[in-house]
Amino acid sequence: MRRGRAATHALRHALVVVVLPIAAPWACPLARAVPPAVVAELESQAAILRGRGADLGIRGVLRLALEAAGVGYDPALVDDALFCARSMQDRSAASPHVGNFRWRLGDEAVGDENAVEFAVQLTTLLALDHAAALSPESRDRIALIHRDALAAIRRHRVAPGHTNVVLMRVWNLLALGRLGDTAAGREGRAAWDAWRAFTSRHGITESLCPTYYGVDLDALGLIASRAADATVRAEADAAIAYLWRSIAAHWYAPSQRLAGPHARDTDWLRGRGLLDEHLVAAGWIASSSSDGAAWLPGAAHGQLGVFRAACRRPPAPDLRMRDHVPRFVVERCGDRPWSRSTTHLGARSSIGIAGATRGAEDKAFVAHLGGGADTVNVTLVVDGHGDPYGRRRAVGADGHRKARHLRPLLAASQEGPRVTALWHLDPADAAYRLTGDETEITAHLVMPSDARVWCDGAIQAAGSRLSAAATLFVEREGAVLALRALLPTAGAGAAAGNGTAAGARAPRGWRLVDDGAAWSARRLTVEHAGGRGAAGP
């Protein structure tokens, strides 16, 4: 019987050798049927790709190639996607960006040096896991992409605290090493060791970021499952466990998301991001709609899971800390004594503050009141562009559309659920990076639209003006946030010699504004300084 099975096995392989060159040299030896729902989504994406719209993103183009190859679907579609991606790669020897990619097909030039890391993360996985599904032309095209991209990766200088890009870069170099470039593999190992050494001292400096925690877990999952060195794989699994402990420690179950302050959070209202994809896979939440940036614009993708499956490393099942309340969590996120976040989590509320901020995208103060997976969080926004809800996006230096909130100096402390914090911003000081088009400096306490504001024992109506010295209470579902602000006067600031800008005036106190119904939000606003344009109401 053994000889019979062995003979049959040998004959099967002999038949494969005979048949494949006749039918299609790139066909999978064990072709499998692709479910109709997957075919439908791949075809909808293929139609978008064929249209060659200016807003096609390099991630979406290569994601389509990976998803199609991963299920053994239409090598011609994969080749078209790779052809498009290659056309987006800068191949001019005279260019300072040679080897990198335009973020969108319609971009005139490379605008974001990080694009090469996002792109090569996908092409290396395609080459490592799905080479058998590629046509000879596709394999050659990937080799050319990697040849030129390696120079851009080597040229790309990434700050060690820029965790998500550092980890993608590590994976890319390690993967290129597995594909035959031993020098790249050695560089990847050195970069990995450097990141581990930095993180052991500083923690994750993109702390509690709902978007970049997801990117981190993607890259770490690929390293943990596919790095050539067993030691690196084990270290990557340890890093994944560290991230999941951070997630579990800050898990606010009533709203099914991270509590605490978020670095680099572009979702000001809800704190959702790519991390949700991993939370779905882990069974912590039911669904996510956060992965749109990684796909072609408007394309259906709910059935396409090749990349998700490749990155998945489930969390340990015993992260019971997420169920223990009340709890107080402190996490390091930098090298200074104040580089930390603190968060108090209770059964129906949470409150947290960062010791300092790193940029305009940080949500330094975050509270949750009551439950609801889609409920708006409570946060403080310092703004100069009439954009309290973070809905007006402007293209920044990196080519991405983001809200333009201001960057005040923050000093803060927290004891249990009590937070004491100082926000300071001087419009006359260049250190605060005002651009000159700020019409009014305002602070907004953003909250859910169904939260009630109390003052002097009464619920306040929209439009109410409240004293700057008043103690206010924000209440929702029985959870209450008490707020007391100490607001300086313009005269006091000038007398103290703190550089208060000409035209600044004493704050008028709080005003309750209901103009965020479209986003299920409302706000308490205090106006601080004018003189740059039309004064606010």
Side-chain angles (χ1 to χ4, degrees), residues 30 36 47 66 91 99 109 180 218 289 327 362 475 480 525:
L30 298 174
L66 176 65
R91 288 178 275 172
D218 285 348
S289 59
R327 64 185 184 273
D362 289 6
E475 178 264 326
V480 180
T525 291

Side-chain angles (χ1 to χ4, degrees), residues 263-352:
R264 306 194 66 200
D265 186 358
T266 57
D267 183 2
W268 287 87
L269 296 181
R270 291 172 176 82
R272 295 291 187 187
L274 184 60
L275 175 60
D276 279 6
E277 297 293 311
H278 293 270
L279 295 171
V280 169
W284 289 26
I285 62 176
S287 63
S288 168
S289 59
S290 64
D291 205 13
W295 296 97
L296 294 177
H301 53 79
Q303 303 298 314
L304 306 181
V306 173
F307 180 70
R308 284 278 131 246
C311 298
R312 186 183 180 198
R313 303 290 279 190
D318 60 346
L319 294 173
R320 296 188 182 91
M321 67 183 79
R322 68 180 179 139
D323 300 319
H324 179 77
V325 291
R327 64 185 184 273
F328 188 75
V329 184
V330 181
E331 184 162 348
R332 173 154 296 284
C333 50
D335 62 341
R336 304 295 181 88
W338 54 84
S339 300
R340 48 94 186 108
S341 70
T342 54
T343 306
H344 179 274
L345 295 102
R348 299 298 295 170
S349 64
S350 75
I351 185 170

Side-chain angles (χ1 to χ4, degrees), residues 415-482:
E415 182 179 0
R418 178 172 179 168
V419 168
T420 304
L422 166 71
W423 284 267
H424 174 78
L425 187 145
D426 185 346
D429 190 335
Y432 293 97
R433 304 184 187 182
L434 272 64
T435 59
D437 62 348
E438 295 82 6
T439 59
E440 193 79 16
I441 308 302
T442 53
H444 310 282
L445 187 76
V446 177
M447 67 189 74
S449 59
D450 61 350
R452 299 189 295 179
V453 176
W454 294 73
C455 183
D456 295 330
I459 297 174
Q460 302 300 304
S464 297
R465 290 189 177 274
L466 307 167
S467 166
T471 299
L472 309 178
F473 300 91
V474 179
E475 178 264 326
R476 182 177 181 273
E477 295 186 358
V480 180
L481 173 70

